[in-house]
Structures are given as C-alpha cells and as structure tokens.
Amino acid sequence: MHPAISVIFFTVTSGAGFGLIAMIGAGLPLPAGLAAAFFIPLLAAALCVVGLVSSTFHLGHPERAWRAFSQWRSSWLSREGVMSVATLVLFALYALIWMISGERPLILGLLVALGALVTVYTTAMIYAQLKTVPRWNTGLTPACYLLFSLASGFLLAAVLNGLAAGGSGAAGVAFVAILAAWACKYAWWKHAENASLEQAGSTVETATGLGAIGKVRLLERPHSGENYLTREMVHVVGRKHAAKLRMIALLVGAALPLLIALAVWVFSGTTLWLLPAFLLMMAGLFVERWLFFAEAEHAVSLYYGGGNT
C-alpha cells in the first residue's frame, strides 16, 4: 500500500505521546514543581495532538474528519477518535490537579494510562482487522504498536526524570523495553513472510469469483491510467530495498538505542543520555512504519495484475 507520510508521522508520533501519557499516569518518577507539572504534560499532549492532526492530511476532505466520531459502534477509526479525545480530556484534568496541588492522583492517573493504551490499541486495530491485508491481520500488529508506544514513552519519561538526576536503573528497564518491542517486530516480520495474498487464500480466482470455471488471468487492466486504488492500494517495494530498510530500522531504531541504554545502565550515567536513544528509536520507527505500509499487499491489487510482490 502507499506509505502516506502523514499517517506514518501520526502513528509514530502519537504512539510516543500516548506512551509518555501512560508513563506519567502510571506514576513514573518525574521532576517536581509547577514548571514540570505544566511542561511535561504539554509535551506529551503536543506529541499526541500533532500526530492526530497530521493524520487528517491524508483525508480527501479533512474538514469532515469530525464525522468519524459518530461511527464508534462499528469503526475502529471512530473508536480511535473517541478514545483519543476522552484520554486527552482526562489527562488535562490530571495535569491541572498536578499543577494546583503538586500531587499526581493515582486512580485518575491509572485511568489516564489505561485510556492511552486503549487509544494506541484502537489505532493498531484499524490495520489489524483488515483480512484484505494478510500481513496486518494478526494479533502481533497491536502488540507491536503497544510495545513501541510503551518503549518510546518510557525512554522519554526516563530522559525527563534525568533532569532531576534520575538514577541509571531506568536505563536497564529501557533496555528491556526496547528489546521486547523489536523482538515483537521481528516476530511480526517472520509472520509477514508467510502472509502473502496467495498463502492467505486470496487469488484472482477468489477475487473475481470465477475460479469454478478455471484459471483466471488478466487480459487487460481495468483502467488505462492511474486511479485512486492503484495509487493508494497497489504499491510495490523491491525485496532488496525492503531488506536494506529493515537493517537500517534495526540498526538505528534498535541496536544503537540498546547500546546507549546499556552503557548508561552499566556506567551509572544520568538518564539524560537516553535522549539520543529516544531520537534514534523514533528515526528507526519512521523507517519501520514506512515498510509496514509499503510492503502491505491489499487484495484489490489482484484486479490489477498484482498479488505477490
């Protein structure tokens, strides 16, 4: 499928933002004081809002995005919108109490953390529910989204705690979180290798319903030029390029952040040193998410002579 930059930016950035909100709500140690109570929630909310707003750029009519909220009974996209707004409203109340009293209410915080994780889950389910895209149609898809959100959110929370001379023990947790997230992604890639359209039972014969009368082949494309479906649903990335990009994602997003986290942990450094690890992981996630969309095979491609890429 076509890897839209706005959607890639949205899933990576809002994932980190909601991950940070989950860490704040769960009560992870953070700097104290009015400034921290204002700027830390502001940073988390900004990551979420910027990501959510960027996602509307992919719509044909962004001004109609509000209508998606009405379909929450049947649409994961609508559920994502409802959950993101509900979570951000609760988080604003949490931040207000933190600023006024200097305290971080535990029960409200846990509700905020749960809301953040459910929001990330709904985002992932927009893709995981699609049987027409076999690579995405697996429980590993929401698992990856959640683990990447938690890992990036924890990294950023540890960096912020470093402003108050946070201990290096958090770097050890960050190491485990990064490792778990990328291990899940590796399992997802292994699943994807055996999740082509043909292996999922989708062929030109099943797509056209003509399999009962024999082998079906494309005589002529339905359109002489590009259309919306070929632009959005039929995208081919060469296997060589995909392999190289995976290595880049693993090097930048996994190996280097792991080395930094390990060094901070072993040498008892301040968690401020985890900032480059966070930035590198985010860069790696942009590559990973580009591949997530670019390598996806949608069943509609079968009508255009596509299929296994």
Side-chain angles (χ1 to χ4, degrees):
M1 294 180 69
H2 174 66
I5 299 301
S6 59
V7 178
I8 294 169
F9 184 83
F10 152 61
T11 56
V12 174
T13 306
S14 67
F18 282 113
L20 179 57
I21 286 176
M23 295 300 113
I24 295 170
L28 258 68
L30 290 167
L34 180 59
F38 176 77
F39 285 108
I40 291 176
L42 181 64
L43 172 62
L47 286 170
C48 296
V49 172
V50 169
L52 289 165
V53 170
S54 73
S55 69
T56 65
F57 296 158
H58 188 59
L59 301 177
H61 294 278
E63 72 279 4
R64 300 177 188 171
W66 62 272
R67 294 183 180 178
F69 288 86
S70 64
Q71 305 301 314
W72 59 269
R73 291 181 183 85
S74 58
S75 167
W76 282 105
L77 178 63
S78 182
R79 291 165 188 161
E80 174 199 46
V82 171
M83 282 305 307
S84 61
V85 171
T87 299
L88 289 172
V89 168
L90 282 176
F91 185 55
L93 177 60
Y94 177 91
L96 185 62
I97 295 173
W98 186 8
M99 283 189 289
I100 293 174
S101 68
E103 300 294 328
R104 295 163 62 188
L106 177 61
I107 301 301
L108 180 57
L110 292 177
L111 284 175
V112 167
L114 178 62
L117 295 180
V118 172
T119 301
V120 175
Y121 178 79
T122 58
T123 300
M125 286 304 297
I126 294 172
Y127 311 110
Q129 63 157 333
L130 295 175
K131 295 181 180 179
T132 49
V133 185
R135 287 173 179 264
W136 295 351
N137 191 220
T138 169
L140 288 170
T141 297
C144 285
Y145 270 67
L146 284 166
L147 286 172
F148 278 133
S149 176
L150 288 170
S152 55
F154 184 87
L155 268 174
L156 192 50
V159 170
L160 294 169
N161 190 36
L163 296 171
S168 61
V173 179
F175 180 90
V176 174
I178 297 168
L179 187 62
W182 283 102
C184 185
K185 185 61 190 185
Y186 182 77
W188 189 95
W189 277 329
K190 296 302 290 184
H191 158 81
E193 291 175 2
N194 300 306
S196 67
L197 287 171
E198 185 176 8
Q199 289 167 317
S202 293
T203 63
V204 179
E205 287 74 29
T206 62
T208 59
L210 300 174
I213 61 176
K215 184 71 175 176
V216 178
R217 66 181 179 86
L218 183 69
L219 179 63
E220 191 171 313
R221 289 169 62 90
H223 300 275
S224 57
E226 271 198 348
N227 59 30
Y228 174 81
L229 290 177
T230 56
R231 285 194 304 271
E232 297 297 321
M233 304 297 185
V234 185
H235 182 88
V236 178
V237 57
R239 293 187 184 277
K240 284 197 306 182
H241 298 301
K244 289 178 182 177
L245 288 171
R246 285 187 189 183
M247 291 303 298
I248 291 172
L250 285 171
L251 174 64
V252 176
L256 293 178
L258 283 170
L259 285 173
I260 294 171
L262 185 62
V264 173
W265 186 21
V266 170
F267 296 107
S268 300
T270 172
T271 52
L272 280 173
W273 286 107
L274 292 177
L275 178 59
F278 169 76
L279 295 175
L280 285 165
M281 185 171 181
M282 292 292 283
L285 284 178
F286 275 103
V287 179
E288 175 271 330
R289 209 54 52 86
W290 189 92
L291 279 171
F292 176 79
F293 291 102
E295 289 190 288
E297 297 175 320
H298 196 290
V300 77
S301 66
L302 296 169
Y303 288 96
Y304 296 89
N308 302 321
T309 57

